Amino acid sequence: MKMLTIALLALTGLVGLATEPALAEKAVITDVTGRRVELDLPAKRVLLGEARQVHVVAALKGDKTFETIVGWRDDLVKKDADTYVSYRDRFPDIEKLPRFGYVGNGTFDLEAAIALKPDVLTLNLESVKAAEEASLVEKAEAAGIAVVYLDFRVDPEKNTENSIALLGEIFGAEDRAKELTDYRRAQIARVTDRLAAAKPAFPKVFIERSPGISGDVVCCRTFGPVNFGRMVELGGGHNIGSDVITGTFGDLNPEQLVLANPDHVIVTGANWAAESDVNQFVNVGPGADPKAARQRLADLMQRPAFPGLKAVKQGQVHAVWHQFYGNPYDFVAIQQFAKWFHPELFADLDAEDTFRDFHQKFLPVAYRTGYFVSLEAGDM
């Protein structure tokens, strides 16, 4: 019934924030899967198959972020609630935007999407298999909707710049997309160039993916040589997950963690109250309470295998905002990692200042602290 109501409202023009941009021209673009996609650019009506793509759209469009967005997936509310609040406060009408489920788990309603008459549907690379099984691309194209795949998560080092450029074309912001890419490159180089010159020893790092969000919180979901695993390496650390995991995610058993005995432990966290069934996660992100985050982080270090680790004994335990793993703000995490791993070498580098500067230059929402936290003396 809800989707039917959305569809009816859309057909009467009462839903969505879209306005008519400049005249579009027929073009062919190549998405991150290598598909050639024909569509009118810039698009007049865009459906975001992942709402967290707004992190990029906002950097490209600023005050006009939602000008041509007619709907989005429900993941921003569920997985990045504090960011959603920031954008809702700045753009109150986004509460009216129709929300959709996820293609990857079969909850995306294509009929309701078609009713919104989008020109283009942007999907994440993880959705390819499910979309193929459901013949989603063919059905969407039959309804006049172009499907474009993006990727900021599976292999961000390979696909991030292309995905930014694709969104730049879709939203008619090619110059801004180049500015964003140039800024990101320069901020990463502030770390990698100095590491290349100094050649310090890389400490061993264990980065744990979203502990405390659901079910068994014992241990030890982590990252292979991409995504956060790659950010650790770019920040001057040796990601121990890469020693045994070849893909994006995987599991270490507690014995492997104890044997590796890392110099640093990092957990990823966010405000997952909307979907967590255990609420033991570390809430870091825009506006997060550092005292509460430290307590959650200290509690997680009481799990079996952790108290005896070198990192825990020496107080080298940290939390980082999980959403850095799915948007091109990864340069902020890389800078913070470098500061944690090599504090003397990067004494003059402040990731918070970098992210604040980025907000001022690119984003239509105000910067709020809270993206990182570390344990202090007496926290354990």
Side-chain angles (χ1 to χ4, degrees), residues 36-233:
R36 289 171 56 82
V37 183
E38 184 177 290
L39 71 166
D40 289 334
L41 292 176
K44 296 178 180 179
R45 300 175 65 82
V46 181
L47 179 58
L48 297 182
E50 174 162 308
R52 283 172 289 179
Q53 292 167 0
V54 78
H55 288 296
V56 186
V57 180
L60 301 180
K61 297 295 290 184
D63 292 340
K64 297 181 179 180
T65 294
F66 294 95
E67 184 179 53
T68 54
I69 296 174
V70 297
W72 53 358
R73 185 183 155 199
D74 59 6
D75 57 295
L76 197 67
V77 174
K78 293 180 177 180
K79 300 179 183 296
D80 194 3
D82 293 331
T83 293
Y84 174 74
V85 169
S86 294
Y87 279 92
R88 184 199 62 197
D89 290 347
R90 175 66 180 80
F91 303 97
D93 283 348
I94 67 173
E95 286 193 311
K96 302 174 186 176
L97 277 177
R99 299 175 191 166
F100 291 82
Y102 178 39
V103 170
N105 63 14
T107 58
F108 180 80
D109 189 332
L110 181 59
E111 290 187 5
I114 291 171
L116 292 176
K117 299 181 179 179
D119 304 311
V120 60
L121 166 63
T122 61
L123 294 178
N124 277 359
L125 190 58
E126 302 98 312
S127 300
V128 169
K129 182 178 179 181
E132 289 177 347
E133 291 174 349
S135 300
L136 185 143
V137 172
E138 293 80 3
K139 294 174 182 176
E141 289 178 346
I145 304 170
V147 176
V148 176
Y149 286 105
L150 310 170
D151 177 41
F152 298 101
R153 185 154 48 240
V154 175
D155 193 348
E157 191 165 37
K158 175 184 176 183
N159 294 322
T160 288
E161 292 190 2
N162 187 25
S163 296
I164 292 171
L166 287 166
L167 285 171
E169 292 183 89
I170 289 169
F171 284 91
E174 293 93 335
D175 290 344
R176 191 66 164 170
K178 184 179 184 305
E179 290 176 23
L180 171 57
T181 296
D182 289 346
Y183 186 96
R184 174 177 173 270
R185 282 184 184 177
Q187 295 301 329
I188 293 174
R190 293 177 68 189
V191 173
T192 55
D193 288 355
R194 195 176 302 187
L195 287 171
K199 296 181 172 59
F202 280 22
K204 292 186 293 184
V205 181
F206 171 63
I207 183 161
E208 188 173 12
R209 185 180 188 268
S210 57
I213 188 174
S214 62
D216 184 0
V217 296
V218 176
C219 190
C220 302
R221 177 57 56 92
T222 189
F223 297 82
V226 295
N227 202 286
F228 264 122
R230 182 57 177 158
M231 292 182 224
V232 165
E233 299 285 347

Side-chain angles (χ1 to χ4, degrees), residues 265 289-299 301-302 311-319 340 372-380:
V265 169
D289 178 355
K291 183 177 179 181
R294 284 193 191 96
Q295 184 59 58
R296 288 278 183 89
L297 184 57
D299 291 345
M301 292 304 103
Q302 299 303 315
V312 177
K313 290 180 178 179
Q314 296 182 351
Q316 298 294 338
V317 178
H318 321 280
W340 284 335
F372 313 98
V373 70
S374 296
L375 292 186
E376 299 176 348
D379 285 332
M380 297 299 295

Side-chain angles (χ1 to χ4, degrees), residues 176-190 328 331-332 335 351 353-362:
R176 191 66 164 170
K178 184 179 184 305
E179 290 176 23
L180 171 57
T181 296
D182 289 346
Y183 186 96
R184 174 177 173 270
R185 282 184 184 177
Q187 295 301 329
I188 293 174
R190 293 177 68 189
F331 60 88
V332 183
Q335 290 189 1
D353 282 350
T354 297
F355 209 14
R356 185 178 291 106
D357 177 71
F358 179 79
H359 276 68
Q360 292 171 350
K361 285 182 167 67
F362 286 92

Side-chain angles (χ1 to χ4, degrees), residues 318-363:
H318 321 280
V320 60
W321 188 46
H322 183 78
Q323 304 307 331
F324 285 127
Y325 94 135
N327 64 56
Y329 306 168
D330 52 355
F331 60 88
V332 183
I334 291 166
Q335 290 189 1
Q336 185 62 56
F337 291 170
K339 187 87 169 197
W340 284 335
F341 304 157
H342 307 283
E344 294 183 1
L345 182 61
F346 292 99
D348 61 331
L349 186 62
D350 189 322
E352 293 268 10
D353 282 350
T354 297
F355 209 14
R356 185 178 291 106
D357 177 71
F358 179 79
H359 276 68
Q360 292 171 350
K361 285 182 167 67
F362 286 92
L363 297 179

